């Protein structure tokens, strides 16, 4: 997902303060730190991953975004990044609300459940789709709330969330999502990336 | 007949220890320091020890703060007690706090009994030991005193300050008082204000000492006896709080001391009893009862939140240090929740903070023991910070 990082780096300018939610082993954080002088912090629920981050010199707090985000003050970060994690929360709506409170802007990326391979998998095989981006079985997947690019756009509209930019990743190629190509992108893109506030 | 002679032996050993304390590194602080209690002290001794070498750029120094019963002898063999240093698991050549790489400093706290200004020192005004005429000191006093040591050693900015338990409280107080004196800070298993439970437990220890008839209102140094029983009970009670229920159960369970059966007496039937008795007895020949009173009091008085009118984040408002807060899952004395309050306060003021709770069943004592995940985190945080500041320096 190097391409996704490229997009995120493009959106975030130099000398900004960023919070990476569910930062894992800190790969994105390191990428932002190394490529631009970005002051980046992370939140990660898994101890071993937090320890990996600390070893890399990254400031990461062990904690669960569904519980711990309340401790961050309003607009304390220029950007809050949620990379392919929204679908794994029990209450994605609440988490999103917190992210928008903490960050001046929020970058959310979602694995697109409307991707054609996913659709075909369900249509022809009749079983829950397993793809490169969604490698788990239905019974052990951490993904509780899968959605499509279209779903996310609809959701933002309904909740009065302003989308400043919407991008997608189609076979490692980055492109903008517009009103005209949305239907098409919702079929052919593996990932949607949104800058919202 | 046996008991008094045993006490006499302790007294003799104590005297011998006092003599040896005279040969340890000591800085006489030629400044006056106004204590929180209002009393002004000057020309007071601060006993300390260093390990490793200060590098050319003077940016590899780590100040370690010791806990309640610790002292300046962090590692190797303590020259006074002849036992291993209290943090030998973490500090030494090739260890997490690598003395081949870093210059490690530790001072005996004010109120302590290993050579620093404390109740066991002679009051120059009366030419007698202070005993309980020693002023009540606070964590802030302890930290303020140690800044003179850094000046003396010629260190403007530390690589890190660290310590567990009361040592962690000193870390918090240090970063609050001196926001730009250290590149990083590692408070371990501590709290920003002592909880009611912890005050209660400390009071239990103090009352045990004071209930010992040998205590003589703190004037036991005038007699040939010392309140060893009381101090031992205080230590036994405290020692339980340093462990976890699960840890105790796994280590001792209901195992009997002698393989046979119950003795139907009050001897130490169970292994845990004999273990605690050993811990208590072992403690009294290396620690001063009055010091125990003073230091526990300092811990109880610690309330960083109150110092900033109830807003802990203001304590760290100007901090430039990078923090790594560490807690342990089975620590019920300074539980994760209290450590997290520190993290939240740091976060609220925008400080650079990382936090991890280490899984361990060894309770509060985890920070002193061989807990690999903890030592790894400590080591890696320090080396990444060290790398960072040296890299920044180059560009």
């Amino acid at each position: 997902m190097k391409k996704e990082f490229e997009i995120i780096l493009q959106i975030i300018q130099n000398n900004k303060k960023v919070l990476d939610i569910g930062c894992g082993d800190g790969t994105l954080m390191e990428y932002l730190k190394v490529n631009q002088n970005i002051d980046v912090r992370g939140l990660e629920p898994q101890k071993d991953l937090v320890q990996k981050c600390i070893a890399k010199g990254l400031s990461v707090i062990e904690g669960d975004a569904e519980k711990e985000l309340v401790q961050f003050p309003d607009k304390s970060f220029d950007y809050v990044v949620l990379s392919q994690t929204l679908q794994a929360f029990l209450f994605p709506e609440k988490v999103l609300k917190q992210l928008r409170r903490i960050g001046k802007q929020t970058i959310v990326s979602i694995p697109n459940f409307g991707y054609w391979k996913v659709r075909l998998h369900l249509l022809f095989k009749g079983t829950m789709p397993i793809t490169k981006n969604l490698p788990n079985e239905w019974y052990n997947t951490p993904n509780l709330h899968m959605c499509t690019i279209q779903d996310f756009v609809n959701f933002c509209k309904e909740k009065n969330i302003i989308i400043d930019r919407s991008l997608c990743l189609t076979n490692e190629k980055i492109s903008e999502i517009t009103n005209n190509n949305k239907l098409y992108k919702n079929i052919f893109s593996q990932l949607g990336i949104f800058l919202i506030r | 007949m046996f008991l008094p002679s045993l006490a006499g032996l302790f007294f003799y050993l104590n005297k011998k220890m006092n003599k040896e304390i005279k040969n340890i590194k000591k800085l006489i602080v030629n400044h006056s320091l106004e204590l929180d209690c209002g009393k002004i002290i000057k020309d007071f001794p601060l006993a300390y020890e260093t390990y490793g070498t200060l590098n050319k750029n003077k940016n590899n120094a780590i100040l370690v703060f010791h806990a309640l019963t610790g002292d300046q002898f962090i590692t190797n063999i303590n020259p006074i007690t002849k036992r291993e240093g209290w943090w030998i698991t973490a500090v030494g050549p090739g260890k997490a706090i690598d003395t081949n790489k870093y210059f490690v400093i530790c001072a005996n706290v004010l109120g302590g009994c290993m050579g620093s200004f404390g109740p066991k020192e002679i009051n120059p005004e009366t030419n007698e030991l202070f005993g309980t005429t020693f002023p009540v000191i606070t964590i802030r006093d302890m930290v303020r005193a140690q800044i003179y040591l850094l000046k003396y050693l010629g260190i403007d900015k530390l690589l890190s300050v660290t310590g567990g338990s009361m040592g962690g409280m000193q870390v918090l107080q240090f970063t609050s008082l001196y926001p730009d004196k250290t590149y990083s800070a590692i408070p371990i298993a501590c709290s920003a204000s002592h909880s009611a439970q912890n005050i209660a437990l400390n009071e239990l220890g103090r009352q045990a000492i004071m209930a010992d008839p040998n205590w003589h209102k703190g004037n036991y140094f005038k007699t040939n006896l010392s309140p060893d029983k009381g101090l031992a009970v205080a230590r036994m009670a405290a020692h339980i709080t340093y462990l976890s229920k699960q840890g105790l159960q796994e280590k001792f369970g209901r195992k009997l001391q002698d393989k046979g059966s119950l003795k139907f007496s009050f001897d130490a039937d169970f292994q845990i009893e004999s273990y605690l008795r050993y811990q208590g007895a072992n403690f009294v020949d290396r620690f001063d009862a009055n010091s125990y009173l003073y230091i526990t009091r300092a811990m109880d008085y610690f309330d960083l939140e109150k110092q900033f009118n109830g807003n802990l984040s203001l304590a760290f408002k100007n901090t430039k240090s990078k923090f790594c807060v560490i807690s342990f899952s089975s620590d019920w004395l300074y539980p994760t929740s209290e450590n997290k309050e520190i993290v939240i306060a740091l976060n609220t003021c925008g400080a650079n903070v990382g936090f991890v709770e280490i899984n361990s069943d060894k309770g509060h004592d985890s920070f002193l023991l061989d807990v690999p995940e903890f030592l790894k985190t400590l080591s890696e945080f320090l080396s990444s910070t060290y790398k960072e500041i040296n890299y920044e320096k180059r560009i």
Side-chain angles (χ1 to χ4, degrees):
Chain A
M1 274 295 128
K2 197 82 192 223
K3 280 280 166 196
E4 184 195 354
F5 292 0
E6 272 176 37
I7 300 176
I8 294 172
L9 186 70
Q10 256 178 43
I11 296 172
I12 300 169
Q13 292 123 29
N14 226 337
N15 293 319
K16 294 287 181 190
K17 215 175 149 190
V18 177
L19 176 64
D20 184 1
I21 307 289
C23 60
D25 66 358
T27 314
L28 173 63
M29 290 178 74
E30 258 194 320
Y31 183 76
L32 294 176
K33 223 177 149 180
V34 169
N35 287 292
Q36 281 196 29
N37 187 21
I38 290 169
D39 180 8
V40 57
R41 315 284 168 80
L43 184 72
E44 168 59 42
Q46 256 177 272
K47 278 182 208 306
D48 53 330
L49 296 180
V50 177
Q51 280 164 25
K52 276 188 183 157
C53 290
I54 288 175
K56 292 176 184 171
L58 302 168
S59 290
V60 171
I61 293 173
E62 181 189 334
D64 176 356
E66 306 216 50
K67 290 183 207 136
E68 313 274 341
L69 286 176
V70 282
Q71 63 170 276
F72 291 87
D74 292 2
K75 307 292 171 215
S76 48
F77 288 89
D78 296 307
Y79 296 97
V80 177
V81 179
L82 186 66
S83 165
Q84 302 193 48
T85 315
L86 184 68
Q87 74 281 355
F89 291 121
L90 211 49
F91 301 102
E93 195 186 337
K94 282 186 185 165
V95 172
L96 218 49
K97 207 172 164 183
Q98 286 292 335
L99 299 185
R100 289 168 55 232
R101 180 185 64 76
I102 297 164
K104 290 174 189 150
Q105 283 183 297
T106 301
I107 300 167
V108 180
S109 72
I110 52 157
N112 179 24
F113 209 68
Y115 180 54
W116 66 274
K117 277 190 185 169
V118 175
R119 297 187 191 207
L120 287 184
H121 189 120
L122 185 60
L123 184 65
F124 289 115
K125 288 197 178 167
T127 59
M128 284 306 280
I130 291 171
T131 65
K132 212 165 78 185
N133 266 2
L134 306 164
N136 297 309
E137 294 281 357
W138 63 272
Y139 50 81
N140 61 13
T141 177
N143 302 324
L144 310 172
H145 298 276
M146 289 307 306
C147 73
T148 68
I149 288 176
Q150 185 65 55
D151 279 326
F152 190 76
V153 172
N154 292 349
F155 168 80
C156 290
K157 205 171 170 186
E158 197 185 309
K159 301 290 171 190
N160 292 321
I161 297 170
I162 300 163
I163 302 180
D164 286 324
R165 276 186 87 179
S166 30
L167 297 150
C168 62
L169 206 61
T170 316
N171 297 327
E172 297 294 296
K173 281 198 192 73
I174 305 160
S175 58
E176 296 271 348
I177 304 170
T178 61
N179 263 337
N180 294 336
N181 69 12
K182 199 166 57 193
L183 199 73
Y184 169 83
K185 296 290 184 194
N186 195 32
I187 298 176
F188 292 103
S189 300
Q190 287 101 329
L191 195 76
I193 301 167
F194 301 89
L195 177 66
I196 60 170
R197 71 193 140 103
Chain B
M1 277 316 282
F2 173 69
L3 269 177
S5 64
L6 193 67
L9 178 70
F10 276 136
F11 188 72
Y12 163 76
L13 285 174
N14 226 348
K15 264 197 162 164
K16 198 174 147 220
M17 253 171 65
N18 276 343
K19 211 171 158 189
E20 280 171 352
I21 281 178
K22 293 209 170 93
N23 299 325
I24 60 183
K25 282 191 195 117
K26 234 182 238 188
L27 169 71
I28 303 296
V29 179
N30 289 318
H31 289 81
S32 56
L33 175 70
E34 186 180 350
L35 302 175
D36 277 334
C37 68
K39 202 171 158 41
I40 295 167
I41 59 170
K42 52 186 175 187
D43 301 326
F44 59 91
L46 202 61
Y48 68 97
E49 189 51 84
T50 66
Y51 304 88
T53 341
L54 187 62
N55 66 9
K56 213 172 63 215
N57 297 328
K58 295 188 173 185
N59 68 3
N60 70 333
I62 299 173
L63 180 60
V64 172
F65 297 107
H66 70 73
L68 167 58
T69 63
D71 52 43
Q72 65 273 39
F73 301 110
I74 323 176
T75 187
N76 300 341
I77 295 297
N78 182 323
I80 308 298
T81 63
K82 312 288 182 224
R83 294 174 200 171
E84 282 184 343
W86 57 272
W87 217 8
I88 200 162
T89 49
V91 184
K95 293 186 182 166
I97 302 179
D98 188 349
T99 49
N100 287 333
K101 192 170 164 188
Y102 311 120
F103 179 58
V104 185
I105 310 156
C106 187
N108 187 213
V109 295
L110 282 191
C113 50
M114 200 51 92
S116 281
F117 193 52
K120 228 171 82 176
E121 296 291 301
I122 288 167
N123 181 351
E125 285 166 23
T126 60
N127 250 343
E128 266 190 359
L129 295 191
F130 271 106
T132 44
T133 65
F134 190 76
V136 168
I137 40 115
T138 63
I139 299 290
R140 186 156 57 183
D141 296 335
M142 294 174 181
V143 172
R144 278 183 176 149
Q146 291 179 56
I147 207 77
Y148 294 112
L149 178 62
L150 296 184
K151 271 186 197 152
Y152 169 74
L153 295 170
I155 295 157
D156 285 333
K157 194 163 180 172
L158 292 154
L159 170 64
S160 199
V161 283
T162 186
S165 201
M166 187 183 84
M169 296 180 195
Q170 290 173 81
V171 169
L172 300 177
Q173 185 69 73
F174 183 94
T175 51
S176 175
L177 280 174
Y178 313 108
D180 201 14
K181 273 256 171 247
T182 182
Y183 288 104
S184 69
I186 316 168
I188 305 162
C190 67
S191 164
S193 57
H194 225 213
S195 66
Q197 176 178 266
N198 286 6
I199 296 171
L201 290 165
N202 276 348
E203 174 62 1
L204 176 69
R206 285 190 294 266
Q207 287 300 329
I209 292 168
M210 294 183 204
D212 188 320
N214 289 348
W215 182 59
H216 288 295
K217 292 200 155 81
N219 291 321
Y220 49 87
F221 49 85
K222 291 177 183 165
T223 68
N224 252 355
L225 300 163
S226 50
D228 292 340
K229 281 276 175 216
L231 183 60
V233 172
R235 176 64 170 178
M236 287 165 80
H239 200 84
I240 301 166
T241 71
Y242 303 151
L243 309 170
S244 74
K245 185 177 177 187
Q246 192 197 346
L248 274 176
Q249 197 61 29
E250 272 167 21
K251 192 167 174 189
F252 300 102
R254 295 184 53 82
K255 277 184 252 170
L256 297 176
Q257 190 55 19
D258 299 318
K259 281 188 186 107
S261 49
L262 296 174
K263 291 209 176 60
F264 292 91
S265 78
F266 294 104
D267 288 340
D269 272 349
F270 297 98
Q271 277 185 16
I272 178 63
E273 292 175 302
S274 119
Y275 171 77
L276 279 181
R277 287 182 189 193
Y278 172 78
Q279 290 295 333
N282 228 342
F283 183 60
V284 295
D285 59 352
R286 72 169 178 92
F287 213 82
D288 176 54
N290 284 336
S291 256
Y292 198 88
L293 302 181
Y294 277 94
I295 298 175
T296 53
R297 204 69 190 133
M299 293 168 84
D300 293 348
Y301 278 9
F302 186 62
D303 189 351
L304 195 54
E305 201 173 316
K306 203 180 155 214
Q307 283 179 34
F308 291 87
N309 299 320
N311 187 348
L312 185 59
S313 72
L314 291 179
F316 308 111
K317 202 180 67 179
N318 302 315
T319 190
K320 301 223 170 24
S321 310
K322 181 178 174 182
F323 286 78
C324 179
V325 180
I326 303 175
S327 73
F328 297 95
S329 54
S330 59
D331 185 349
W332 55 275
L333 199 59
Y334 297 93
T336 291
S337 59
E338 286 181 27
N339 288 273
K340 266 210 147 154
E341 276 168 28
I342 302 162
V343 178
I344 292 172
L346 284 162
N347 235 333
T348 307
C349 68
N352 196 345
V353 55
F355 162 74
V356 67
E357 179 200 59
I358 304 287
N359 270 335
S360 160
D361 66 358
K362 297 189 167 87
H364 181 58
D365 255 357
S366 297
F367 80 95
L368 298 170
L369 302 171
D370 183 22
V371 177
E373 289 299 296
F374 161 62
L375 295 171
K376 195 164 163 262
T377 304
L378 191 63
S379 151
E380 292 174 335
F381 176 76
L382 281 173
S383 59
S384 68
T385 309
Y386 189 54
K387 224 184 272 168
E388 225 166 81
I389 63 169
N390 283 300
Y391 177 70
E392 271 175 15
K393 280 258 158 70
R394 274 208 303 277
I395 47 174

